[in-house]
Amino acid sequence: MVLSGCSDKSSDGGGGGSTDLSIQSVVQLDTEGKAVATTDAGAAADPAGDGKAKCAPLTLGMAGPLTGGNAALGINIIMGVKLALDKHNKANPDCQVSVKQFDTEGKPQIASQVVPTIVADPSIVALVGPTFSGETKATGQILSEAGMPTLTASATNPTLTQNGWKTFFRGLGNDNSQGPAVANYLTGEKGFKKICVVQDNTDYGAGLAQAFITAAGPAADTSCGTSVKEGDKDFSAAVSKLSAAKPDAIFYAGYYAEAAPFVQQLRSGGVTAAFVSADGSNDPEFVRQAGSSSKDALLSCPCSPAPEKFAADYKALNGQAPGVYSVEGYDLTTILLKGIDAGKVTRAELVDYVRNYDGTGVARQYKWGETGELANIQIWMYQVK
């Protein structure tokens, strides 16, 4: 299978002109950090179905950051949702499904105001989202009590499936799988002996960092670990600490809005250690904002790269290449559409349908356990080249 990375020509945030760097897929890993075979996208479920579906007009919701510093992550998902809906609606004139978008900026306090509006809207039969772990943690109980099917394409904090929510399904691996896979890959395949871990103050960053540190063992040098805050732009204190530590690699647990200026300041400060981050940074915006400083960065993700045909269809509809979580947004919407086409048109029916679903998507096999975790999980490693 030919895979396209999250490619984009990036302008050098340091004023050095444009670069031709892009995020390219390298290898798919199991949780032990070992290479595994990829999914055959040709076997993926088709949102068009057989074209014979009949239903009254229905609506899906999508909640996530559509504006703000990390908006690209939400936009990638909604564009994946729209591609699945476009294919379905063109093929099924007697069953039209639309989407209502709700901008949370990825912030728990905004999501807490938005989600009650979603659950109060009787036309919305399922939600793709929320996008970030913090906003999901803040609203999951409301969604569960409302019986709303809640399929996240991106929220990876492990504790989200430990709250007893009855309607929550995670469409990719969590950080208890991502953290160890990356740690084992860095200490095994890459042979790094000293890794400094930097985490932001989000639920996502904290959970990912802890999972990574536990798996990396003595290679994760706690004496050079440090923390930053969401919204920070000056990382001079962290850069000084890391420069003095002279690690083989720096693992950053956080989002691209901070990762981009952070890696720029590391490089301008003379720190040459390998820069490694995860799905929160794995977006063309990281490359665009960090410019040449992003070169050779390793980025993990439980999300899948986009196969060529998917990438071409996505760009034709949306005017830009797919990014991180685009494929997951498409796959989760396809699953909901298959349920709708099978006559499952209420929230309760769709929850039951998803809970019992077992099928191949573009990214992976989708089958969930009782808590809403996937039965089979792989992690991808990418590199900025």
Side-chain angles (χ1 to χ4, degrees):
M1 179 170 69
V2 180
L3 297 160
S4 77
C6 309
S7 62
D8 222 326
K9 286 194 175 180
S10 58
S11 79
D12 190 326
S18 68
T19 74
D20 285 325
L21 296 172
S22 65
I23 299 171
Q24 300 179 28
S25 54
V26 175
V27 63
Q28 187 172 227
L29 307 173
D30 61 18
T31 54
E32 300 302 313
K34 306 294 186 188
V36 293
T38 60
T39 302
D40 176 13
D46 185 350
D50 62 9
K52 298 176 182 177
K54 295 185 186 301
C55 71
L58 292 170
T59 306
L60 304 179
M62 181 275 169
L66 301 174
T67 61
N70 288 302
L73 301 176
I75 290 167
N76 292 341
I77 294 170
I78 189 61
M79 287 183 172
V81 171
K82 287 179 176 178
L83 178 59
L85 291 175
D86 184 68
K87 291 186 174 184
H88 175 270
N89 291 344
K90 282 177 177 173
N92 296 275
D94 295 326
C95 184
Q96 296 293 291
V97 183
S98 59
V99 62
K100 288 184 180 178
Q101 301 170 213
F102 297 86
D103 182 15
T104 65
E105 297 180 35
K107 296 177 179 176
Q109 61 270 34
I110 297 177
S112 296
Q113 297 164 5
V114 165
V115 163
T117 304
I118 297 172
V119 301
D121 186 337
S123 73
I124 299 176
V125 294
L127 178 68
V128 179
T131 300
F132 287 179
S133 295
E135 61 180 349
T136 304
K137 179 181 177 182
T139 59
Q141 187 63 33
I142 301 169
L143 290 160
S144 180
E145 289 175 1
M148 178 70 76
T150 304
L151 285 68
T152 182
S154 53
T156 53
N157 185 285
T159 64
L160 296 176
T161 52
Q162 298 166 19
N163 296 299
W165 300 337
K166 304 298 185 186
T167 65
F168 180 75
F169 302 91
R170 196 194 315 263
L172 72 179
N174 68 38
D175 293 327
N176 279 348
S177 56
Q178 182 173 202
V182 179
N184 290 326
Y185 177 74
L186 296 182
T187 56
E189 177 70 21
K190 290 296 182 182
F192 294 145
K193 306 293 187 193
K194 180 177 181 177
I195 304 168
C196 299
V197 178
V198 182
Q199 68 179 75
D200 74 5
N201 60 333
T202 66
D203 287 323
Y204 162 73
L208 176 61
Q210 187 53 56
F212 180 93
I213 290 166
T214 300
D221 189 336
T222 55
S223 71
C224 62
T226 190
S227 299
V228 300
K229 292 187 176 66
E230 194 176 24
D232 280 356
K233 296 302 174 194
D234 178 2
F235 300 98
S236 53
V239 170
S240 295
K241 185 174 185 179
L242 294 164
S243 179
K246 295 183 169 51
D248 299 323
I250 295 162
F251 180 73
Y252 182 76
Y255 295 103
Y256 69 76
E258 290 75 39
F262 180 48
V263 75
Q264 281 185 318
Q265 290 171 42
L266 283 169
R267 298 308 182 225
S268 63
V271 180
T272 59
F275 185 80
V276 187
S277 193
D279 51 328
S281 303
N282 191 332
D283 190 88
E285 277 299 313
F286 168 69
V287 182
R288 244 196 304 270
Q289 293 177 21
S292 59
S293 298
S294 67
K295 187 176 188 296
D296 296 326
L298 289 167
L299 304 168
S300 68
C301 193
C303 61
S304 172
E308 264 184 321
K309 175 70 165 63
F310 176 92
D313 291 347
Y314 182 102
K315 188 168 186 178
L317 180 69
N318 295 310
Q320 67 183 60
V324 64
Y325 314 131
S326 293
V327 177
E328 283 71 20
Y330 172 90
D331 277 348
L332 295 177
T333 304
T334 297
I335 292 167
L336 291 169
L337 290 169
K338 283 176 66 67
I340 289 168
D341 290 356
K344 315 300 183 185
V345 296
T346 68
R347 295 175 183 179
E349 288 171 337
L350 282 170
V351 167
D352 189 59
Y353 180 83
V354 175
R355 185 173 287 126
N356 293 291
Y357 188 83
D358 186 359
T360 304
V362 174
R364 63 187 59 84
Q365 190 75 10
Y366 290 90
K367 181 182 181 181
W368 284 277
E370 282 186 17
T371 64
E373 294 284 14
L374 286 173
N376 186 30
I377 292 167
Q378 279 89 37
I379 306 298
W380 275 92
M381 290 303 302
Y382 300 78
Q383 188 168 22
V384 179
K385 299 180 184 179

